[in-house]
Amino acid sequence: QWSPDSHKVAFVATTLFWKSEPKVTLYLLDLAKDKLTEINNAMGYIGDLAFSPDSQKLAFIKEDGYGKQ
């Protein structure tokens, strides 16, 4: 998901483990600062990413793998 100012990209990466839930990690890439930051990780789901209009905040849904948000 690109930020409205086009300086940041938020994305989710999934790591699969043998016989367990996948680990899902949310990252923020700041292109202006050339910096990659891990925002959150979970066993379950992270999605529906959305930046605020001024690109300062990132909203997302996190599910813990048991259906809880």
Side-chain angles (χ1 to χ4, degrees), residues 21 42-46 61-69:
E21 291 286 322
M43 301 299 264
Y45 170 82
I46 297 175
I61 292 177
K62 176 181 170 183
E63 191 175 285
D64 66 4
Y66 299 103
K68 297 179 184 174
Q69 296 181 352

Side-chain angles (χ1 to χ4, degrees), residues 1-3 8-12 26-29 39 49-51 58:
Q1 177 73 39
W2 282 92
S3 63
K8 298 173 187 164
V9 179
F11 63 94
V12 176
L26 173 61
Y27 291 98
L28 180 65
L29 176 60
I39 302 296
L49 311 177
F51 278 96
L58 175 65

Side-chain angles (χ1 to χ4, degrees), residues 4-58:
D5 66 5
S6 299
H7 292 136
K8 298 173 187 164
V9 179
F11 63 94
V12 176
T14 303
T15 305
L16 301 175
F17 296 102
W18 179 254
K19 295 186 179 181
S20 70
E21 291 286 322
K23 177 185 174 191
V24 183
T25 307
L26 173 61
Y27 291 98
L28 180 65
L29 176 60
D30 188 327
L31 299 169
K33 296 178 182 176
D34 196 28
K35 181 178 178 185
L36 179 65
T37 304
E38 181 179 317
I39 302 296
N40 204 317
N41 62 58
M43 301 299 264
Y45 170 82
I46 297 175
D48 297 330
L49 311 177
F51 278 96
S52 62
D54 65 0
S55 302
Q56 296 303 305
K57 296 179 182 175
L58 175 65

